[in-house]
Amino acid sequence: MQKIVIIGTGNVAEHLSDSFFKKGFLITQIWGRNKEKAEILAKKVHSESTSVFHLIKKNADLYLLCISDDAVSEIVQKIDFEPSIIVHTAGSLPLEILNKFKNHGVFYPLQTFTKGRELSLKNVPFCLEANNKKTLTELKNIAGEISDNIIEMNSLERKRCHLSAIFACNFTNYFYSIASELLAEKNLSLNLLKPLIEETLAKATSITPQKAQTGPAVRGDWKIINKHLDELKNEDWKKLYSFVSESIFNYHKR
Amino acid sequence: MQKIVIIGTGNVAEHLSDSFFKKGFLITQIWGRNKEKAEILAKKVHSESTSVFHLIKKNADLYLLCISDDAVSEIVQKIDFEPSIIVHTAGSLPLEILNKFKNHGVFYPLQTFTKGRELSLKNVPFCLEANNKKTLTELKNIAGEISDNIIEMNSLERKRCHLSAIFACNFTNYFYSIASELLAEKNLSLNLLKPLIEETLAKATSITPQKAQTGPAVRGDWKIINKHLDELKNEDWKKLYSFVSESIFNYHKR
């Protein structure tokens, strides 16, 4: 049975510990700056917890850093033993940040995690990287237990995935927020747009988003665009509507 | 058997005629400015076609205007008989544009249509409006044959749906285009982001997009934002990234 120590208590820590636990891995310890948070998370996966750094167990097979990007360097400095394997889970950080350790890698789940939300990791792409073959093989085996979607990727590719995900996930979600507010003003629900949004995604991945583009902006239909700008009262959204429309028009003209 | 005449040959004409044909309606004629286009579409649904306006058959039960918003007024002027029921299919046009006819309405499918793409209309919301009860009932019956998602909606509500759909469909699709180009530069595929995008939508419709927002912008993580801005070479996308990030930050701060 493989033993895992989780460093961190945020959304990624929660989802990874839960998935590993359900697959029969032994989460031997969860470290968190905040004692209570670490305890709560540890309890869920029948694990021990600590907030004291030098009490971290040294005999685990894998140390998973599930902390904010900014905290990684500081934590790395504090680890004064040689972990069997240590990985970080950040899209934007290079492999080299863990250079001080003999066997190190990256274990990046390309997904959006929200605390308390049940989510299967089975289809989630795990982007893996390691500083040696043996470690990479080991990471592939471990990730393969919780996901069917394992991808080897270097730090530059992973960084690019992360950047793309900002557009495809964070920014589109913000546009769902805007749509939902606009609809709510007329007592309409965002669910009304669900079939449309689903088809938008289905088209994008089957015929490419470039071929799938519809709407007034790609047609250069300024009459409708101006009607919409008149309807928008929020100045920020007005600017956004105008700027994105021009960008779509120029992109498809080129 | 109900007889339908379709005015127009674009994406909406193609999808509606196909769906009605498959449900056993009689498409008796398709009119198109372009003779060949009308012929091709008519052939698919065992219908006749014409490009000559005064040859439009006068005995159909329903006339579906599937033409660009700009063309509706002109076509309305040209129709010199009293159709049994006539409807337009545009999100942004008011019901009143068809005032000259005794029984008129709106038959707006809230979906993104791309020519040649197979698509079931079963879950597509049909937003209906009519100038009298009998016509509305008739439209509900007809729409109910091709979709399970029938909604009565006035012109202002429909206009709002259309505006919201620009954000939730057209703009998000453009962001998929950006993501796909960024990924392609590193020989990576947009399919990599599919589980992420699916979860983004699932979260938005179950816990609201406001609660589902993740990423550097909502956290105010300017360090990552600046890294991403450095990575973006396209000036338009750089501006877009920066502007949307600030807008997300301000929206969630308020």
Side-chain angles (χ1 to χ4, degrees):
Chain A
M1 187 55 59
Q2 281 181 303
K3 297 194 283 288
I4 298 178
V5 165
I6 307 244
I7 317 274
T9 56
N11 302 339
V12 176
E14 178 188 295
H15 282 90
L16 287 182
S17 61
D18 179 65
S19 283
F20 280 123
F21 174 68
K22 281 180 180 155
K23 279 292 174 179
F25 286 81
L26 224 66
I27 316 287
T28 52
Q29 197 178 37
I30 289 177
W31 173 87
R33 223 178 282 273
N34 179 309
K35 204 180 158 200
E36 285 74 39
K37 278 192 185 170
E39 268 173 22
I40 292 168
L41 195 51
K43 209 174 164 186
K44 281 189 195 159
V45 294
H46 299 210
S47 169
E48 295 176 29
S49 72
T50 183
S51 63
V52 181
F53 213 85
H54 70 263
L55 292 184
I56 288 181
K57 292 172 192 268
K58 297 177 176 53
N59 65 342
D61 302 295
L62 176 67
Y63 293 77
L64 270 168
L65 299 174
C66 306
I67 47 186
S68 71
D69 290 18
D70 280 346
V72 171
S73 295
E74 179 206 335
I75 297 287
V76 162
Q77 276 194 323
K78 280 191 182 170
I79 299 177
D80 57 0
F81 61 97
E82 187 62 54
S84 178
I85 297 179
I86 183 165
V87 295
H88 74 67
T89 53
S92 282
L93 294 179
L95 174 69
E96 290 73 43
I97 202 164
L98 302 179
N99 256 349
K100 122 177 193 194
F101 306 107
K102 202 174 143 218
N103 300 314
H104 60 274
V106 182
F107 199 91
Y108 172 54
L110 190 43
Q111 187 53 284
T112 165
F113 296 108
T114 293
K115 235 180 153 83
R117 182 173 160 82
E118 280 272 346
L119 174 70
S120 160
L121 300 182
K122 208 163 165 51
N123 300 315
V124 172
F126 275 80
C127 309
L128 306 181
E129 188 180 6
N131 72 315
N132 61 57
K133 274 202 167 168
K134 197 169 161 255
T135 302
L136 185 64
T137 305
E138 192 61 28
L139 291 180
K140 280 183 183 172
N141 291 338
I142 294 173
E145 292 285 329
I146 54 173
S147 169
D148 296 334
N149 202 348
I150 306 304
I151 299 149
E152 199 184 324
M153 201 179 271
N154 67 35
S155 293
L156 286 176
E157 290 164 338
R158 189 176 59 255
K159 203 173 148 214
R160 184 53 65 93
C161 277
H162 189 226
L163 171 60
S164 312
I166 304 294
F167 281 96
C169 160
N170 298 158
F171 288 0
T172 61
N173 182 72
Y174 180 51
F175 283 175
Y176 299 158
S177 292
I178 296 175
S180 100
E181 272 209 36
L182 290 171
L183 289 166
E185 284 173 10
K186 300 276 177 207
N187 291 317
L188 298 165
S189 153
L190 183 64
N191 279 303
L192 208 56
L193 300 184
K194 210 177 169 188
L196 174 67
I197 299 176
E198 280 169 348
E199 171 66 4
T200 303
L201 172 59
K203 277 206 293 192
T205 48
S206 68
I207 63 170
T208 79
Q210 284 81 4
K211 284 183 193 154
Q213 188 69 54
T214 57
V218 68
R219 296 196 307 269
D221 188 339
W222 308 112
K223 212 166 154 181
I224 289 196
I225 290 172
N226 284 325
K227 267 201 217 176
H228 284 162
L229 289 174
D230 277 347
E231 194 174 345
L232 285 165
K233 299 298 162 230
N234 179 316
E235 283 304 321
D236 223 28
W237 298 351
K238 212 190 256 291
K239 261 163 73 186
L240 211 50
Y241 185 101
S242 171
F243 187 65
V244 179
S245 292
E246 277 172 39
S247 188
I248 291 175
F249 183 73
N250 292 327
Y251 178 77
H252 282 272
K253 215 178 50 183
R254 67 182 193 185
Chain B
M1 186 59 55
Q2 281 180 302
K3 295 194 284 287
I4 298 178
V5 165
I6 307 245
I7 317 271
T9 57
N11 302 338
V12 175
E14 178 189 295
H15 282 91
L16 286 183
S17 61
D18 179 66
S19 282
F20 279 123
F21 174 67
K22 282 180 179 156
K23 279 291 172 181
F25 285 82
L26 224 63
I27 315 289
T28 52
Q29 197 177 35
I30 289 178
W31 173 88
R33 223 179 282 275
N34 180 308
K35 203 181 159 202
E36 285 75 38
K37 278 193 186 170
E39 269 173 20
I40 291 168
L41 195 52
K43 211 173 162 188
K44 282 190 195 158
V45 294
H46 299 209
S47 170
E48 294 177 30
S49 71
T50 184
S51 61
V52 181
F53 214 86
H54 70 261
L55 292 184
I56 287 180
K57 293 172 190 271
K58 298 178 176 50
N59 64 343
D61 303 294
L62 175 67
Y63 292 77
L64 268 167
L65 299 175
C66 306
I67 48 186
S68 70
D69 291 16
D70 280 346
V72 171
S73 294
E74 180 207 334
I75 295 287
V76 162
Q77 276 195 324
K78 282 191 182 169
I79 299 176
D80 56 1
F81 60 96
E82 188 62 52
S84 178
I85 297 180
I86 183 166
V87 296
H88 74 68
T89 53
S92 283
L93 295 178
L95 173 70
E96 290 73 42
I97 202 164
L98 301 180
N99 257 349
K100 122 177 193 195
F101 305 108
K102 199 174 146 221
N103 300 316
H104 59 274
V106 183
F107 199 90
Y108 172 53
L110 190 42
Q111 187 52 284
T112 166
F113 296 108
T114 293
K115 232 178 156 87
R117 183 176 160 83
E118 281 271 346
L119 174 70
S120 161
L121 300 183
K122 209 164 165 50
N123 300 315
V124 172
F126 274 80
C127 310
L128 306 181
E129 188 179 7
N131 73 315
N132 60 57
K133 271 203 170 169
K134 196 168 161 256
T135 302
L136 185 64
T137 305
E138 193 60 31
L139 292 179
K140 280 183 182 173
N141 291 338
I142 294 172
E145 291 286 327
I146 54 173
S147 168
D148 296 334
N149 202 347
I150 307 302
I151 301 150
E152 198 183 326
M153 201 180 273
N154 67 34
S155 292
L156 286 177
E157 290 165 338
R158 190 177 58 255
K159 203 172 149 218
R160 184 53 64 94
C161 277
H162 190 226
L163 171 60
S164 311
I166 305 292
F167 281 96
C169 161
N170 298 159
F171 289 179
T172 63
N173 182 71
Y174 180 51
F175 283 175
Y176 299 158
S177 292
I178 296 175
S180 101
E181 272 209 36
L182 290 171
L183 289 167
E185 284 173 9
K186 302 276 177 204
N187 292 314
L188 297 166
S189 153
L190 184 64
N191 278 304
L192 207 57
L193 300 184
K194 209 176 167 189
L196 173 67
I197 299 174
E198 282 169 349
E199 170 68 2
T200 303
L201 171 59
K203 275 205 297 192
T205 47
S206 68
I207 63 172
T208 79
Q210 284 81 1
K211 283 184 192 155
Q213 188 69 53
T214 57
V218 67
R219 295 195 307 268
D221 187 339
W222 308 111
K223 212 166 157 181
I224 290 196
I225 290 172
N226 284 325
K227 268 201 218 177
H228 284 161
L229 289 174
D230 278 346
E231 194 174 344
L232 285 165
K233 298 299 163 228
N234 181 314
E235 283 304 320
D236 224 28
W237 298 352
K238 213 191 257 291
K239 260 164 71 187
L240 211 50
Y241 186 101
S242 170
F243 188 65
V244 179
S245 292
E246 275 170 41
S247 188
I248 291 175
F249 183 74
N250 291 328
Y251 178 77
H252 282 272
K253 213 177 52 185
R254 69 183 190 182

